[in-house]
Amino acid sequence: MFKLFVFVALLALVSCEVQRIKIHQSGHKRDHRHVKQEIRWLKHKYHQLIESIIVYDYGVPDYVAPDYNNDYYDNSNTDSTTNDTATIEELGNSMNMYYFGTIGIGTPEQYFNVVFDTGSANLWIPSVHCASTDVACQQHNQYNSSASSTYVASSQNFSIEYGTGSVTGFLAIDTVTINGLSIANQTFGEAITQPGSSFENVAFDGILGMAYQTIAVDTVVPPFYNLYEQGLIDEPVFGFYLGRNGTATDGGELILGGSDESLYVGNLSYVPVSQQGYWQFAVNNITWNGTVVCDNCQAIADTGTSLIACPFSAYSQLNQLIGALYVEGSYYVSCSTVDSLPVLSFSIGNGIFELPPSAYISTFGDGNSTYCMSTFTYIGTDFWILGDVFIGQFYTEFDFGENRVGFAPVA
Ligand SMILES: *[C@@H]1O[C@H](CO)[C@@H](O)[C@H](O)[C@H]1NC(C)=O
Ligand SMILES: *[C@@H]1O[C@H](CO)[C@@H](O)[C@H](O)[C@H]1NC(C)=O
Ligand SMILES: *[C@@H]1O[C@H](CO)[C@@H](O)[C@H](O)[C@H]1NC(C)=O
Ligand SMILES: *[C@@H]1O[C@H](CO)[C@@H](O)[C@H](O)[C@H]1NC(C)=O
Ligand SMILES: *[C@@H]1O[C@H](CO)[C@@H](O)[C@H](O)[C@H]1NC(C)=O
Ligand SMILES: *[C@@H]1O[C@H](CO)[C@@H](O)[C@H](O)[C@H]1NC(C)=O
Ligand SMILES: *[C@@H]1O[C@H](CO)[C@@H](O)[C@H](O)[C@H]1NC(C)=O
Ligand SMILES: *[C@@H]1O[C@H](CO)[C@@H](O)[C@H](O)[C@H]1NC(C)=O
Ligand SMILES: *[C@@H]1O[C@H](CO)[C@@H](O)[C@H](O)[C@H]1NC(C)=O
């Protein structure tokens, strides 16, 4: 599909903009329950049927009403002072677990918080037609097609499989607005049912996939493809900065149509996409204090995963190397050792990216105690998933034009 873009770009002589998308962060404290919820969600995403091992030591998750006042993007903030060729959306960050921003759907716009997820390729949001018993749907904003003058019905149903069930509903076509750029005729999923409790108590309403169309359910054209084809941005490129110490309103930044040079140091170091589905690439090797834990392996860059997911052998080896103990589904190290742990060094393309222990160990508190959790997790994949723990340290550019991923240390 992106082969078309060269042609389209030649026709589009109008000057376009690069769009900056602000990412938001919710201010809740992270605890064991959140970590379990996170790992559960990841297993769902990668279709792993391991639900039975999840232990709720806090009982059933509390109902937490979404805090829209804090989490929603304030559109009055749209930065019109820049003379950039890109558009930037700031992203919210919920406990470093997921990052989301606001989009509008329909005319007039109905607003949704979505996770900009490079590990999937469909846009879906909850539908006003969901059941009143669907807790996840009732907790979130719902799309009402009757209230949109630009809605076009589609007779097609959609179903996205997760470990415990499916997100199902029907496809709808409407205008999708990202940071003021309106994509006409975007097809997306109106979710009527959501599986289990996967999407309950989360600050986002839906997901906006940014991977290749080849992994899109029903081969629906992903929004970013249309954004480019409709000439709303100049380059088929986007970049993520994920703040690790962000705030609800300043959690990070997604830039559409380029990269934000002010957010990284030096030049981006590129690696070709090895398979056009996920943003997948080859890693030369990964070493920890001289021990090689990956030699010529595959990895994906996934903004929709918070942790570092490893193949099983690397997962066991790394957690053993850092001296972590397995407690109720996660590995923990003594917090006093964190500062003295060596870096994890990734050789990708011609670059070397060193992940410090302060990044690969996640520190959080429960009451008066502090826990230091290993972010090396296993969710059943034979490739590495470099999630927000990695992207938080290394600004990441996703380039559909050249089919490559670029990394550089964050500024
Ligand atoms: C904005 O961009 C235009 C076109 O590239 C350029 O002519 C103009 O000087 C720029 N303005 C500022 C304030 O940088
Ligand atoms: C959906 O929008 C229509 C038209 O504005 C309105 O009549 C209807 O009540 C809305 N439905 C819900 C559930 O809000
Ligand atoms: C879509 O799903 C609905 C409800 O399950 C069903 O009645 C309908 O026949 C389906 N339509 C298509 C085109 O599959
Ligand atoms: C959107 O669809 C309408 C109706 O089919 C069509 O007239 C219009 O040109 C389309 N717009 C774009 C940008 O594809
Ligand atoms: C996070 O930000 C707060 C407030 O700006 C600052 O006090 C704290 O030192 C920062 N922590 C890290 C790890 O940068
Ligand atoms: C970045 O690349 C440019 C052009 O290739 C080069 O001139 C410059 O020295 C590089 N900067 C760094 C910090 O490597
Ligand atoms: C890792 O890969 C790089 C690039 O191919 C190579 O120069 C380096 O020697 C490798 N390191 C190890 C420990 O294999
Ligand atoms: C790292 O390797 C050195 C040399 O083999 C060893 O002395 C040191 O204990 C190792 N560090 C850790 C934290 O394992
Ligand atoms: C935290 O410590 C304070 C003072 O020791 C104590 O009063 C409080 O109950 C503790 N809170 C928890 C959740 O353990």
Side-chain angles (χ1 to χ4, degrees):
M1 182 51 86
F2 273 92
K3 296 285 172 277
L4 273 176
F5 290 175
V6 177
F7 176 67
V8 174
L10 288 174
L11 293 181
L13 294 172
V14 287
S15 144
C16 312
E17 294 186 346
V18 181
Q19 291 287 309
R20 282 162 216 267
I21 298 167
K22 186 172 172 146
I23 316 192
H24 303 251
Q25 177 175 50
S26 81
H28 306 287
K29 279 260 192 299
R30 181 181 170 125
D31 66 18
H32 279 134
R33 199 178 63 217
H34 294 121
V35 173
K36 288 192 198 303
Q37 187 187 33
E38 155 71 4
I39 291 172
R40 192 160 51 98
W41 147 247
L42 275 184
K43 286 174 177 164
H44 290 177
K45 181 171 167 185
Y46 288 95
H47 303 205
Q48 303 303 319
L49 291 154
I50 330 181
E51 176 70 1
S52 56
I53 67 161
I54 302 298
V55 182
Y56 286 109
D57 44 356
Y58 288 79
V60 176
D62 302 328
Y63 175 88
V64 182
D67 185 359
Y68 293 122
N69 285 338
N70 289 332
D71 291 337
Y72 262 81
Y73 176 54
D74 177 359
N75 285 299
S76 65
N77 247 348
T78 305
D79 192 349
S80 55
T81 59
T82 53
N83 194 21
D84 279 317
T85 54
T87 180
I88 289 181
E89 176 144 348
E90 292 184 28
L91 303 182
N93 168 1
S94 184
M95 297 167 286
N96 285 348
M97 282 171 47
Y98 48 82
Y99 294 78
F100 53 90
T102 304
I103 62 167
I105 302 185
T107 311
E109 286 177 45
Q110 300 172 35
Y111 294 102
F112 300 91
N113 274 336
V114 292
V115 172
F116 292 97
D117 179 17
T118 61
S120 66
N122 286 84
L123 167 62
W124 67 263
I125 41 87
S127 170
V128 77
H129 301 300
C130 67
S132 58
T133 50
D134 184 333
V135 177
C137 183
Q138 297 306 332
Q139 285 177 348
H140 291 113
N141 283 354
Q142 301 159 358
Y143 172 68
N144 181 355
S145 55
S146 308
S148 171
S149 63
T150 41
Y151 166 72
V152 177
S154 157
S155 57
Q156 208 178 342
N157 290 342
F158 86 99
S159 174
I160 302 178
E161 294 292 331
Y162 289 101
T164 49
S166 311
V167 172
T168 64
F170 36 81
L171 295 179
I173 302 169
D174 207 336
T175 302
V176 171
T177 304
I178 306 178
N179 217 38
L181 299 185
S182 291
I183 305 166
N185 305 334
Q186 175 65 46
T187 302
F188 58 92
E190 253 193 82
I192 305 295
T193 62
Q194 298 181 39
S197 55
S198 310
F199 300 103
E200 291 174 17
N201 311 319
V202 293
F204 59 87
D205 303 305
I207 294 175
L208 192 153
M210 302 187 80
Y212 284 85
Q213 188 183 0
T214 47
I215 62 165
V217 167
D218 296 331
T219 60
V220 168
V221 180
F224 187 80
Y225 283 57
N226 285 328
L227 193 65
Y228 181 69
E229 283 189 36
Q230 293 179 17
L232 299 168
I233 50 174
D234 282 337
E235 302 289 335
V237 175
F238 57 90
F240 272 94
Y241 163 74
L242 301 180
R244 301 307 282 169
N245 191 19
T247 64
T249 53
D250 192 13
E253 183 189 281
L254 162 62
I255 184 162
L256 301 169
S259 282
D260 191 336
E261 289 173 19
S262 69
L263 294 174
Y264 60 84
V265 180
N267 292 327
L268 290 164
S269 169
Y270 291 101
V271 61
V273 169
S274 55
Q275 191 173 329
Q276 295 177 18
Y278 297 117
W279 286 94
Q280 184 173 335
F281 50 88
V283 176
N284 305 323
N285 49 63
I286 304 174
T287 55
W288 187 90
N289 200 32
T291 303
V292 179
V293 294
C294 134
D295 184 14
N296 191 22
C297 50
Q298 293 285 308
I300 67 170
D302 182 4
T303 56
T305 290
S306 71
L307 307 169
I308 303 256
C310 320
F312 188 76
S313 59
Y315 159 76
S316 309
Q317 191 181 13
L318 265 177
N319 282 309
Q320 190 180 11
L321 285 168
I322 64 174
L325 288 177
Y326 188 75
V327 184
E328 289 179 15
S330 301
Y331 276 98
Y332 295 87
V333 297
S334 163
C335 293
S336 61
T337 67
V338 174
D339 289 344
S340 57
L341 290 173
V343 300
L344 183 65
S345 180
F346 294 76
S347 167
I348 302 173
N350 295 322
I352 291 178
F353 303 93
E354 295 191 332
L355 200 62
S358 58
Y360 68 70
I361 302 294
S362 170
T363 302
F364 59 91
D366 261 350
N368 293 336
S369 309
T370 298
Y371 295 90
C372 291
M373 192 193 77
S374 160
T375 61
F376 304 128
T377 188
Y378 174 66
I379 58 165
T381 60
D382 60 2
F383 51 88
W384 291 67
I385 302 173
L386 306 185
D388 305 339
V389 162
F390 187 87
I391 297 169
Q393 304 301 311
F394 304 104
Y395 188 94
T396 306
E397 180 183 285
F398 299 84
D399 183 346
F400 274 115
E402 305 271 345
N403 290 309
R404 61 183 185 174
V405 183
F407 300 103
V410 294

